[in-house]
Amino acid sequence: MRAKRCGRRGRRGTWLVLGFLLFLTAPAPAPERAALTPTAITADAPVPAIGRTWPVGARPTVLRGWEPPATVYGRGHRGVDLAAPAGTPVRAVAAGRVSFAGRVAGKPVVSVELTGTDLRTTYEPVTAAVEKGAMVTAGEVVGAVEPTGSHCPAACVHWGLRRGETYLDPLSLLPPWLLRTGPSRLLPVLGVPLPT
């Protein structure tokens, strides 16, 4: 009788060990994927204001601003359109590596992966002055605005920003001092004696 009990306990132990091994070797459940919406990633990881220059000009006119779509495939404007006549030099807003320089759907595009981030800027329609893989510094010319291929009524450059597959507002790359409009003004300083 005692031998039967030992045999049952041995079998139970074997089953426990096998069950434990199956538990350890079973694949982990896949994490739930967050919906790919423009706000899903931006809330978790803010965009650092690492831009050091506008892509075109000193303070170009924004012809159309960023309008995030309500859904991944929804209507919206996934970048900003900056007024720029054909031939205007287009500069990298921050340091990075050129990840693409070529045509997409017939439009010339330059993309730059920004150093130290998971962000990528795009410029179109821009005839590339750089090649894929080139390292660029902030303010370095990456191309020139092409006269055709723009979706603006007047000549412009479309400037985009992405993190993975999520589009973000490219203006968020610029620090406040680059976004200010109007000339600088000197204000009076009160309570300080005038120099003699």
Side-chain angles (χ1 to χ4, degrees):
M1 181 118 182
R2 187 171 164 92
K4 282 187 179 180
R5 271 193 255 161
C6 287
R8 279 189 218 152
R9 283 187 190 150
R11 278 184 266 167
R12 268 192 232 148
T14 302
W15 284 111
L16 284 173
V17 169
L18 285 174
F20 183 71
L21 288 173
L22 285 173
F23 172 76
L24 289 177
T25 59
E32 289 186 33
R33 290 188 68 190
L36 289 176
T37 62
T39 56
I41 292 180
T42 57
D44 296 337
V47 174
I50 58 173
R52 294 295 167 253
T53 184
W54 283 88
V56 290
R59 176 66 173 95
T61 302
V62 176
L63 300 174
R64 184 174 177 194
W66 185 64
E67 299 164 15
T71 63
V72 176
Y73 301 106
R75 292 180 57 168
H77 191 236
R78 294 161 172 85
V80 295
D81 293 338
L82 305 173
T88 301
V90 177
R91 302 177 185 283
V93 296
R97 183 184 65 80
V98 177
S99 58
F100 182 81
R103 292 196 170 272
V104 175
K107 292 182 185 177
V109 177
V110 175
S111 294
V112 178
E113 293 174 350
L114 304 181
T115 303
T117 72
D118 57 352
L119 301 169
R120 180 175 75 243
T121 59
T122 57
Y123 312 95
E124 68 173 81
V126 174
T127 303
V130 291
E131 294 182 3
K132 181 180 177 180
M135 297 303 292
V136 294
T137 58
E140 186 174 336
V141 173
V142 295
V145 178
E146 192 169 273
T148 59
S150 172
H151 62 266
C152 300
C156 76
V157 64
H158 177 84
W159 175 30
L161 175 66
R162 289 175 74 172
R163 174 179 281 133
E165 296 301 313
T166 302
Y167 290 90
L168 303 169
D169 183 0
L171 293 177
S172 61
L173 280 173
L174 299 179
W177 60 271
L178 270 175
L179 291 169
R180 288 192 195 107
T181 58
S184 299
R185 294 185 315 166
L186 294 177
L187 299 175
V189 179
L190 303 174
V192 176
L194 293 173
T196 55

